[in-house]
Amino acid sequence: MVKNTTAPTVTTTFSFTTAEPESWIESLLNKIPLPRWAIYALAGVALFLLLLIFICCLCCCCKRKNKQKKKEKINLGSVKGSVTTSLVQPDIEGLGGSAENAYRGRLQYSLEYNFQREEVTVVLKQAAALKAMDSGGTSDPYVTVYLTNDSRKKNETKVHRKTLNPVFNEAFTFKVLKSDVPDTAVVLQVFDFNRFSKHDVIGEVRLPLWEMDLHHIIEDWKELSQAGKTEQERLGEICVSLRYVPSNGKLTVVILEAKKLKKMDSDGFSDPYVKVQLALNKKKWKRKRTGVKKNTLNPYFNEAFTFDVTLEQIQNVDLIISVWDHDKVNKNEQIGKVHLGCRASGNALRHWSDMLAHPRRPMAQWHNLQPAEEVDKTLALKSNFKIPLPQALQHS
């Protein structure tokens, strides 16, 4: 019996595990000298901050968009289209503009200028579709007519009760010199009559004579516009020469001429003369006057008046020049005034200062006449202001 002597085969298995290379994140984390939990906590805080910044930016953008939408809604009135602007809430400026542009009605008139008589005749014919001013949806309209260079003289039509389409057919005539045509406009103001309160202005029409062909009768319809402010009445201008000689204390006032004076008489002219008055320490002191110039609005006087005023008194003197209209029957009426002196202002003060700065030399200048009430109010004010005397005046 033969024995099997073959040795058993032993199989040895070797297993090799391939190590995966570390990622760049792992290598970066390994280099940080902090435990992993601390690194993760810091990363979470950083992400939270970034998220918070993103949310804030998003809120800001939304607010800007909302503001732009609001502006677009407010400005819809300026967009030309079928959008009804009354559905949009307007701003304050929009409200003011809509009130000014509101339809007020229209007025029919005729205008004729007579070159021989130098008169303008305005006929108010009728009005149509006037704005309702009363609670019942009607108005009690009437019209006032005046010239811009003489706003105190106003003519009125009759009042027409409870109507928006009155028929007037009333004529008014004004004296307008040919030389005044370039500076004159006819104003037609439509009012609503109120028995117990102030009359409301519905609107007005302005007719500048310098823009019209006055060689023909003009007849037209005009839409009423918002009434403007009443023009300040032009009283005229006066040219005065001043001269002061300090050595003998002589103040010479020369009334040279005046122009474009206010018409005071019914024939469109005036009979002007000038009063020259000195006040010392706000008390009436000396007074003189020129002769009367008949039927003219541009008188030439060339009259000189000399007053004794010492160097000590010159700074406390007020020179008041007033232009009057002479009337044989009624009381003389004052046209306007000019105040010169150390307490004056503007051109009047500059004229007085030039006189003091140039002794012995006559200084002439034009001055606009002011309403007597305004000049009297200025003279009533107390003032301690004094112009320092120039050295040339002190040594003269």
Side-chain angles (χ1 to χ4, degrees), residues 110-115 212-219:
S110 68
L111 185 144
E112 181 181 5
Y113 184 75
N114 189 316
F115 283 89
M212 297 182 170
D213 184 5
L214 299 179
H215 294 87
H216 306 281
I217 298 177
I218 301 168
E219 184 173 340

Side-chain angles (χ1 to χ4, degrees), residues 69-114:
K69 288 180 179 179
K70 288 181 180 180
K71 290 182 179 179
E72 290 174 359
K73 288 181 180 180
I74 293 175
N75 293 331
L76 278 176
S78 61
V79 179
K80 295 182 179 179
S82 60
V83 180
T84 304
T85 57
S86 60
L87 299 178
V88 182
Q89 179 66 33
D91 55 5
I92 296 176
E93 294 180 359
L95 286 173
S98 61
E100 291 180 4
N101 298 327
Y103 186 75
R104 302 170 183 276
R106 56 199 185 111
L107 187 66
Q108 187 186 27
Y109 69 93
S110 68
L111 185 144
E112 181 181 5
Y113 184 75
N114 189 316

Side-chain angles (χ1 to χ4, degrees), residues 258 261-262 264-265 269-275 289-301 322-327 333 335:
L261 295 180
K262 178 186 173 183
M264 304 297 288
D265 299 335
F269 293 98
S270 296
D271 301 323
Y273 68 95
V274 180
K275 288 183 181 180
R289 55 169 284 181
T290 68
V292 178
K293 304 297 180 180
K294 297 288 186 178
N295 298 326
T296 179
L297 300 178
N298 303 283
Y300 181 76
F301 297 101
S322 55
V323 182
W324 294 73
D325 173 52
H326 177 74
D327 199 317
E333 295 181 280
I335 299 176

Side-chain angles (χ1 to χ4, degrees), residues 183-232:
D183 301 319
T184 304
V186 179
V187 182
L188 314 175
Q189 283 190 336
V190 183
F191 285 84
D192 171 48
F193 175 82
N194 293 311
R195 186 178 297 276
F196 301 109
S197 61
K198 185 179 179 180
H199 300 180
D200 300 319
V201 183
I202 300 176
E204 73 175 18
V205 172
R206 289 183 176 247
L207 308 173
L209 297 183
W210 63 88
E211 293 181 358
M212 297 182 170
D213 184 5
L214 299 179
H215 294 87
H216 306 281
I217 298 177
I218 301 168
E219 184 173 340
D220 196 7
W221 282 91
K222 289 281 187 181
E223 289 192 0
L224 298 177
S225 60
Q226 186 180 30
K229 295 182 179 179
T230 304
E231 296 82 6
Q232 184 177 3

Side-chain angles (χ1 to χ4, degrees), residues 238-250:
I238 188 168
C239 186
V240 180
S241 174
L242 302 178
R243 178 175 180 261
Y244 184 63
V245 182
S247 59
N248 58 7
K250 298 291 185 182

Side-chain angles (χ1 to χ4, degrees), residues 317-368:
V317 164
D318 291 301
L319 174 62
I320 303 102
I321 299 172
S322 55
V323 182
W324 294 73
D325 173 52
H326 177 74
D327 199 317
K328 291 182 179 180
V329 180
N330 300 318
K331 186 179 179 180
N332 296 342
E333 295 181 280
Q334 192 167 188
I335 299 176
K337 276 186 176 181
V338 173
H339 167 224
L340 299 102
C342 294
R343 296 194 298 140
S345 60
N347 290 331
L349 178 60
R350 190 177 301 112
H351 191 186
W352 191 262
S353 301
D354 290 343
M355 177 197 70
L356 296 178
H358 303 89
R360 298 186 182 86
R361 286 177 55 186
M363 309 296 293
Q365 188 170 316
W366 282 94
H367 297 277
N368 291 320

